[in-house]
Amino acid sequence: MIPLNLFDFSNRVVWVTGASGGLGKALARRFAQAGAHLALHYRAQVEPVQALQAELSELGCETLAVRGDLTDEDAAEACLQAIWERFGRLDVLVNNAGQYSHAPFLSMSVQDWDQIVQANLRSVFLCTQRFARRAAAQGLAGAVVNIASIEGLTPAFGHAHYSTAKAAVLMATRAAALELGPLGVRVNAVSPGLIWREGLEEDWPAGVESWRKAAPLGRAGQPQEVADAVLFLASDAASWISGANLVV
């Protein structure tokens, strides 16, 4: 018989970075449905997070909104300090915050490169390192799930900076898993393919059609389907999985 509590996150605290976006909201909803309390990070717009907090409160989920630029050391530390002061612990970190832009390699500026690499890689390093330090100091086991991308495995035209950053996230996942495993902290990654959003077909019809022809299931993924994969890797059902990348 399969234990039904493998996906029970009751009394656990989960920090979702980049919680104001579509995937971030789906991640928060799924963990709240599993019983977790949520720290919801945003960088600029608080209104989407406030609306999400109101929604999650109806599930009995206690939430905390934390703001900061997670490429900044002090901001990352301040977010974690606020979480620890509110909840006294943190069990799961989902590194979802990041940025995406399009720029051909030959015309890409150094600023373009640095902005995307820092947003998608530096933030993962800072948050994971500081979370692991605190967890180790308190003797807490923990789980980190990094949101990477299939572009970290196969580059796309005009996305050299993004593809490179996500490839580095995958190696950072493996390296962190190796060093943090003895402390009881597991580190894994999820690499989503094309994720549906409102207006996607209108904004990028050729790309969506190309994806549908190439993808085995013939469609874009839904944000909650990615959230399900993240929930699995953070759960007790994945208690002996670390350093893995799950392509979704």
Side-chain angles (χ1 to χ4, degrees), residues 162-177:
Y162 181 80
S163 298
T164 299
K166 290 301 188 180
V169 167
L170 294 177
M171 182 52 70
T173 298
R174 294 172 62 188

Side-chain angles (χ1 to χ4, degrees), residues 9-178:
F9 282 80
S10 298
N11 300 317
R12 298 190 195 181
V13 180
V14 178
W15 182 20
V16 177
T17 70
S20 61
L23 180 54
K25 293 176 183 177
L27 289 163
R29 291 184 184 108
R30 192 59 92 225
F31 277 103
Q33 290 164 350
H37 300 307
L38 273 297
L40 305 170
H41 160 263
Y42 67 101
R43 186 173 62 90
Q45 295 183 322
V46 67
E47 291 81 6
V49 169
Q50 290 174 332
L52 182 60
Q53 287 182 286
E55 176 187 338
L56 299 184
S57 67
E58 298 182 2
L59 299 175
C61 174
E62 185 178 350
T63 63
L64 171 69
V66 291
R67 178 181 182 179
D69 177 357
L70 297 181
T71 66
D72 180 81
E73 294 180 67
D74 293 337
E77 184 63 35
C79 285
L80 275 165
Q81 181 63 29
I83 294 168
W84 241 269
E85 288 178 356
R86 174 67 172 272
F87 297 108
R89 63 185 297 133
L90 180 61
D91 301 281
V92 177
L93 163 63
V94 183
N95 281 310
N96 172 64
Q99 293 183 26
Y100 186 88
S101 69
H102 181 277
F105 190 83
L106 292 181
S107 60
M108 184 182 299
S109 69
V110 173
Q111 291 74 21
D112 289 335
W113 179 275
D114 288 346
Q115 180 179 350
I116 295 301
V117 170
Q118 288 204 26
N120 291 284
L121 179 60
R122 181 181 170 96
S123 60
V124 168
F125 163 68
L126 289 176
C127 293
T128 301
Q129 182 192 61
R130 282 150 177 76
F131 164 59
R133 283 176 178 171
R134 288 174 176 264
Q138 291 193 3
L140 295 173
V144 178
V145 183
N146 297 323
I147 302 299
S149 170
I150 59 167
E151 289 193 22
L153 301 169
T154 303
F157 190 88
H159 299 161
H161 47 0
Y162 181 80
S163 298
T164 299
K166 290 301 188 180
V169 167
L170 294 177
M171 182 52 70
T173 298
R174 294 172 62 188
L178 179 67

